[in-house]
């Protein structure tokens, strides 16, 4: 049996942040990861708020050596209309840039730094059972790819398993999301015509038809991630298989056709469906959930890695306090704090799909202050209550949309 202070389940960004932060504080950590790294995953456009976390765990310098594509903003396109947000023009003080990354490379770079700091990482191992004992200690059953088993005894567990959702599944904690189930069809393409179309230093979001959008995420290696997101029924009219659907969707949009028609695919188009999930319990005696284990919303605003890193960073600080023998108010200091940010982005996701945000993004004569405030949300600064577009997120977008409608009527 292996004994450790903290067992981290998952070696993605959330797991890497937790392991690095807790190790930095001088505590022993074991990481168990089901997959073999490097491995493919979407969520390739980071947000500036991530950089504060990476800076705190001393990873910025090493990651900078990887040569990832710098990202300075987000551009939204609807036919000939453009709404461009530059992170240097935001309301909240913070980082003004981040990266766009092939996640296989980015995640491997993160966990390699954890390994280099002496943390044991067990790839291709699965946690199959957890027994919580008196106090907060636990014994976890672990099996490797050959079927060999062993146990890890830990003082605390950080579940950063992402889509694996280890603890929620083992203890029946999953809840249905309130968001409509959607589907994504995506691939990586050789972006040989990039220079003729756009700058590579931002994510491009294309409004395809109402309720359907496209991500364009250029990488520094010359490839670009392209994905279509909409309800499941939308894709059926474009063919029976992902490749057929992807090619037909490219062909049916003049800009996408001009840029990506007949370019080489790095891999055949793949699909991801019904990704939104949640749990109402973010912690318990002896464990805490971080990243996508708590709730994954939607890829529209690239919030996945941001929530993974920020939630894991916050949880790790509280785990350290717990290991030091201090009292921790998990409900207030973790669950409520994390949920505040999730709720802000959830409002923006819902406003995107019901058309409210498109109305705001493409409005004429935009107020510069309002644009800066919204830009801060898009940069991931969703805990800044000095920003009315954070503090009043449930109502302010609808109010602004109604004001835009009223101005349009007056001009008529």
């Amino acid at each position: 049996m292996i004994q450790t202070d903290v067992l981290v389940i998952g070696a993605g960004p959330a797991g890497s942040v937790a392991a690095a932060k807790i190790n930095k504080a001088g505590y022993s950590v074991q990481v168990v990861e089901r997959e073999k790294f490097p491995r493919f995953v979407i969520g390739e456009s980071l947000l500036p708020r991530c950089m504060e976390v990476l800076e705190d765990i001393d990873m910025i310098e090493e990651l900078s050596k990887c040569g990832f594509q710098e990202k300075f903003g987000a551009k939204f396109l609807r036919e000939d209309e453009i709404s461009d947000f530059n992170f240097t023009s935001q309301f909240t003080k913070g980082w003004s840039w981040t990266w766009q990354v092939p996640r296989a490379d980015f995640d491997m770079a993160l966990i390699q730094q954890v390994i280099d700091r002496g943390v044991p990482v067990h790839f291709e191992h699965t946690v199959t059972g957890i027994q919580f004992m008196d106090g907060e200690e636990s014994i976890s059953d672990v099996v490797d790819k050959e079927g060999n088993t062993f146990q890890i005894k830990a003082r605390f567990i950080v579940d950063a398993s992402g889509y694996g959702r280890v603890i929620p599944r083992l203890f029946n904690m999953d809840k249905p999301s309130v968001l409509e189930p959607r589907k994504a069809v995506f691939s990586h393409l050789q972006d040989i015509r990039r220079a003729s179309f756009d700058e590579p230093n931002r994510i491009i979001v294309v409004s395809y038809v109402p309720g359907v959008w496209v991500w364009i995420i250029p990488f520094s290696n010359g490839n670009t991630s392209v994905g279509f997101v909409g309800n499941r029924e939308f894709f059926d009219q474009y063919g029976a298989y992902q490749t057929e659907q992807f090619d037909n969707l490219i062909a049916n949009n003049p800009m996408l056709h001009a840029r990506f028609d007949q370019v080489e695919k790095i891999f055949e188009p793949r699909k991801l469906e019904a990704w939104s999930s949640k749990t109402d319990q973010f912690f318990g005696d002896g464990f805490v959930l971080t990243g996508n284990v708590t709730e994954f919303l939607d890829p529209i605003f690239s919030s996945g890695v941001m929530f993974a890193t920020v939630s894991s960073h916050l949880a790790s600080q509280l785990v350290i306090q717990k290991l030091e023998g201090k009292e921790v108010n998990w409900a207030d200091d973790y669950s409520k704090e994390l949920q505040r940010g999730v709720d802000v982005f959830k409002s923006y996701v819902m406003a995107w799909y019901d058309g409210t945000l498109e109305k705001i993004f493409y409005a004429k004569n935009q107020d510069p202050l309002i644009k800066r405030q919204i830009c801060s949300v898009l940069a991931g600064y969703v805990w800044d209550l000095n920003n009315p577009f954070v503090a009043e997120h449930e109502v302010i977008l609808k109010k602004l949309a109604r004001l835009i409608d009223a101005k349009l009527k007056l001009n008529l």
Side-chain angles (χ1 to χ4, degrees), residues 6-7 9 130 132 138 140 154-159 167 286-288:
V6 179
L7 167 61
I9 306 175
I130 301 173
F132 290 98
S138 63
S140 296
R155 295 170 62 187
F156 209 89
I157 297 177
V158 176
D159 186 351
I167 288 180
F287 73 88
V288 62

Side-chain angles (χ1 to χ4, degrees), residues 315-347:
S316 299
Q317 294 179 79
L318 298 174
V319 169
I320 292 166
Q321 292 180 30
K322 192 73 177 176
L323 295 175
E324 291 173 346
K326 300 175 183 177
E327 287 294 322
V328 174
N329 187 332
W330 287 101
D332 288 343
D333 297 340
Y334 185 67
S335 289
K336 290 182 180 178
E337 183 70 8
L338 179 58
Q339 191 65 53
R340 282 200 302 113
V342 170
D343 288 345
V344 173
F345 259 123
K346 189 180 294 183
S347 291

Side-chain angles (χ1 to χ4, degrees), residues 302-314:
S302 307
S303 62
V305 176
M306 187 278 291
F307 277 125
T309 55
V310 172
S311 65
S312 230
H313 187 252
L314 175 59

Side-chain angles (χ1 to χ4, degrees), residues 111-123:
I111 198 63
Q112 187 61 55
Q113 289 195 58
V114 172
I115 294 169
D116 291 346
R117 297 174 191 188
V119 175
V121 178
H122 307 275
F123 292 110

Side-chain angles (χ1 to χ4, degrees), residues 42 183-186 240 242 245 268-273 275:
I42 64 169
K183 174 180 175 178
V185 175
F186 54 90
Q242 286 89 253
Q245 292 170 352
E268 286 302 305
R270 304 173 185 178
K271 69 176 180 178
L272 182 64
E273 297 185 79
W275 49 73

